[in-house]
Amino acid sequence: MPVKILLADKSITIQKVVEMLFSGKEYEVTCVSDGETAMGEASRIVPGVVLADVDLPRIDGYSLAA
């Protein structure tokens, strides 16, 4: 079973880089651009790891982590 990673970052470039770095059978990366969507995705996919930018739109990374 792959490790599920949720990446919340408003930068599409960062999203693509992380997807490329973790692509493969061992990881499944889900990328979103704001904190509100990240909250929804976190409850849907139940990730093993969350990488969040602190300066996200709607809900910031600190609130997301809390």
Side-chain angles (χ1 to χ4, degrees), residues 37-55:
T37 305
M39 290 286 256
E41 286 297 301
S43 61
R44 187 181 73 79
I45 67 170
V46 187
V49 176
V50 176
L51 303 172
D53 183 3
V54 296
D55 188 31

Side-chain angles (χ1 to χ4, degrees), residues 15-65:
Q15 291 179 17
K16 296 299 178 194
V17 168
V18 171
E19 282 180 326
M20 287 189 315
L21 283 173
F22 290 103
S23 65
K25 297 177 185 175
E26 298 176 16
Y27 302 99
E28 181 181 311
V29 180
T30 301
C31 297
V32 297
S33 298
D34 64 77
E36 188 173 306
T37 305
M39 290 286 256
E41 286 297 301
S43 61
R44 187 181 73 79
I45 67 170
V46 187
V49 176
V50 176
L51 303 172
D53 183 3
V54 296
D55 188 31
L56 289 171
R58 298 195 210 170
I59 298 173
D60 66 19
Y62 293 117
S63 299
L64 180 62

